[in-house]
Amino acid sequence: MTVAEVLAACSNSNTGSSSSKQVMNTATSNEISTLDSSKYGDTTSSEALQNSMEGLYHFDKNNRAKLAGATSVKVSNGNRVYTYNLRKNVKWSNGDPITAQDYVTGWRRTVDPKNSSLDSDSYAIIRNGTKITQGKAQVIQTTSTGVNLFRSGSLDYAPLSSDFVKQYQNNKDYHSQVTPTNGYMTFDLKRKTTGNVHVRRAISQAINKKQLVATVLHAGRPANGIVASNFITDKSTGNDYRKDAGDMVTYNVKNACKEWKIALELLTSDIDDAKRVGEFIQSDLMRNLPGLTINGRSIPLKSRLSNTTNHNYDFVYGTWQPSYEDPLDFLTVGGLFNLEQDYRNRNFWHQIDLVHSTYANDPKQRLQALINAERQMIQRDAFATPLYQAGASYLLKPNVQGFKLSPYGNVAYYWNVKMK
């Protein structure tokens, strides 16, 4: 993949150039599953979309949100109405003008249950978001042959899987940073075993997350809450949300054994890193919880998504890259499979309702409601188990200027790249 290829869909962009000096050769860690912005659910597709499609905003050179498809935004009616003025003379790659209706159509497609979008919950913040009817939109389809990073010496950017991190840590082009993408597990509450809160609490406390990061992932940090750290600054306190909320669940084998006993299946995707994390979890839990048997099942990502939707699992490992900078993204979207269907705790949903309504413009009360909701879901009910906050490791040649990872996760962001 090259920058020139990635930006081909943006006819109004002058970032790409026919000059060889302005071509950045890059690699992706996996194949692109789709370029339908209503249906993607993987990091690789997200990366291609973020670098080929321009929305109302994009990130500037300092990784801050900046108006892109719009020239201005007006907020009114107590922060309830956002009015955008769109850029003029902006066109699709086929020459058709981009209109406000195109944005509406995209949002309607995403929330329509017929499209099975993994991101539809993100639109719940829009009034009647889940009731928007389907419109017509062109679906972009593509295929990808994949790239093997280390069979080419001409790459300017290459993401590193955990296999290669230790090998390249001393390379002068090596970079690594912690991102807000989190690794976690969720449980099927409809199963007899995982429907037992004591089983879930035991599992949540019996995984040595520090060792997982150090020996399997080689990047990132352990996570003791489902909301990422060093990502969201609360308006009422000026602190990082994670500092205000504190630890929700830590590694504590003694407490885990008190909660305990039985046999389970752990579902993961068949991506190498996911399989290794699954194997670590399987081994760690069986060692720390006497009498426990876990069978691991690694399947393609699309099949894993289908299996979780159909409740064909005991508990499942996954990762989540946030869509926006608010705890709500982690607490109500966050890859938390079957959350609305299965998790019926009244206090949790009451706190979320307060966040959306009564406390929407009261930062101090809103913060406490968010913390209450996370404590209920993670600490008391163990609906999900936070494992780690991901680290992104990559090789980048020094002649590449302006390269950033998206502030929301492990996605490479090329809009501001220039080549020396």
Side-chain angles (χ1 to χ4, degrees):
M1 181 187 293
T2 69
V3 165
E5 292 168 342
V6 169
L7 299 179
C10 302
S11 61
N12 63 314
S13 172
N14 59 8
T15 306
S17 169
S18 59
S19 168
S20 60
K21 293 183 179 179
Q22 290 301 309
V23 173
M24 178 183 177
N25 297 298
T26 76
T28 59
S29 54
N30 295 290
E31 290 193 4
I32 298 170
S33 64
T34 180
L35 284 185
D36 184 336
S37 59
S38 292
K39 294 186 177 182
Y40 76 94
D42 60 293
T43 300
T44 305
S45 297
S46 173
E47 183 167 287
L49 283 164
Q50 285 199 30
N51 286 290
S52 60
M53 301 292 170
E54 185 175 73
L56 294 173
Y57 295 88
H58 64 70
F59 300 120
D60 65 15
K61 63 182 181 179
N62 297 313
N63 258 356
R64 294 173 181 168
K66 179 181 179 182
L67 287 170
T71 58
S72 64
V73 56
K74 179 182 178 182
V75 183
S76 59
N77 193 21
N79 292 331
R80 290 181 175 87
V81 178
Y82 286 68
T83 303
Y84 291 89
N85 290 311
L86 301 183
R87 281 167 50 197
K88 296 180 180 180
N89 302 319
V90 181
K91 299 179 180 180
W92 291 99
S93 55
N94 66 357
D96 290 345
I98 293 175
T99 67
Q101 185 59 43
D102 291 325
Y103 287 94
V104 175
T105 297
W107 297 345
R108 285 177 173 170
R109 289 189 72 256
T110 302
V111 299
D112 191 332
K114 295 179 182 178
N115 290 315
S116 301
S117 172
L118 297 174
D119 200 35
S120 59
D121 288 345
S122 296
Y123 291 78
I125 59 173
I126 302 175
R127 185 177 179 182
N128 296 326
T130 57
K131 298 179 181 179
I132 296 175
T133 59
Q134 184 180 23
K136 294 182 179 180
Q138 181 182 4
V139 179
I140 302 172
Q141 297 179 342
T142 187
T143 58
S144 170
T145 57
V147 180
N148 187 321
L149 343 183
F150 301 105
R151 290 183 181 174
S152 170
S154 62
L155 291 174
D156 299 296
Y157 163 77
L160 296 175
S161 69
S162 58
D163 277 343
F164 297 102
V165 169
K166 293 181 72 174
Q167 180 180 349
Y168 285 90
Q169 279 179 331
N170 295 323
N171 188 298
K172 63 181 178 64
D173 297 333
Y174 174 80
H175 301 265
S176 185
Q177 68 185 69
V178 177
T179 75
T181 295
N182 63 2
Y184 62 95
M185 298 187 303
T186 61
F187 301 86
D188 185 352
L189 301 190
K190 293 188 176 182
R191 297 286 180 100
K192 179 180 179 180
T193 303
T194 47
N196 186 320
V197 67
H198 299 288
V199 170
R200 299 197 301 271
R201 287 178 187 166
I203 290 173
S204 293
Q205 297 177 80
I207 301 170
N208 190 332
K209 295 176 278 191
K210 184 176 181 180
Q211 187 178 5
L212 168 64
V213 171
T215 63
V216 177
L217 300 171
H218 308 295
R221 65 165 68 98
N224 293 322
I226 203 69
V227 180
S229 62
N230 296 328
F231 179 54
I232 301 164
T233 301
D234 186 76
K235 293 181 180 179
S236 65
T237 65
N239 296 329
D240 178 66
Y241 171 87
R242 190 75 270 142
K243 180 180 179 181
D244 288 330
D247 291 339
M248 295 293 165
V249 56
T250 60
Y251 178 54
N252 191 322
V253 177
K254 184 177 180 179
N255 283 349
C257 288
K258 288 180 180 179
E259 299 275 1
W260 189 231
K261 265 181 190 172
I262 219 113
L264 303 171
E265 178 184 77
L266 171 63
L267 182 66
T268 72
S269 67
D270 61 358
I271 298 171
D272 286 343
D273 280 0
K275 289 172 67 176
R276 282 191 292 274
V277 170
E279 290 165 358
F280 177 91
I281 293 170
Q282 178 183 14
S283 173
D284 217 31
L285 288 177
M286 291 174 64
R287 180 176 65 252
N288 289 331
L289 299 177
L292 172 66
T293 299
I294 293 181
N295 299 311
R297 180 161 57 107
S298 298
I299 57 179
L301 177 61
K302 286 186 177 181
S303 298
R304 194 211 70 179
L305 297 174
S306 174
N307 274 257
T308 49
T309 300
N310 295 321
H311 290 83
N312 186 21
Y313 65 101
D314 289 315
F315 62 125
V316 57
Y317 160 76
T319 60
W320 177 256
Q321 176 179 282
S323 301
Y324 53 92
E325 191 177 340
D326 191 278
L328 273 177
D329 184 80
F330 293 94
L331 294 174
T332 60
V333 190
L336 300 171
F337 299 104
N338 304 309
L339 177 67
E340 291 190 15
Q341 291 176 260
D342 298 351
Y343 187 50
R344 302 293 186 177
N345 183 276
R346 291 183 180 180
N347 180 50
F348 173 83
W349 290 111
H350 174 63
Q351 298 299 325
I352 295 300
D353 182 61
L354 290 174
V355 170
H356 281 302
S357 55
T358 308
Y359 300 150
N361 291 317
D362 185 338
K364 185 176 181 179
Q365 297 281 14
R366 187 177 188 272
L367 169 64
Q368 190 57 56
L370 288 164
I371 294 172
N372 291 343
E374 185 181 16
R375 183 173 291 119
Q376 184 70 58
M377 180 173 66
I378 302 301
Q379 191 176 80
R380 296 174 184 163
D381 293 334
F383 176 81
T385 297
L387 296 173
Y388 63 88
Q389 200 167 317
S393 299
Y394 56 93
L395 299 176
L396 185 71
K397 287 188 175 179
N399 62 316
V400 179
Q401 297 181 326
F403 172 82
K404 295 280 188 179
L405 292 180
S406 162
Y408 296 130
N410 296 14
V411 171
Y413 202 66
Y414 303 116
W415 285 95
N416 303 303
V417 165
K418 293 183 178 179
M419 307 294 287
K420 281 185 182 178

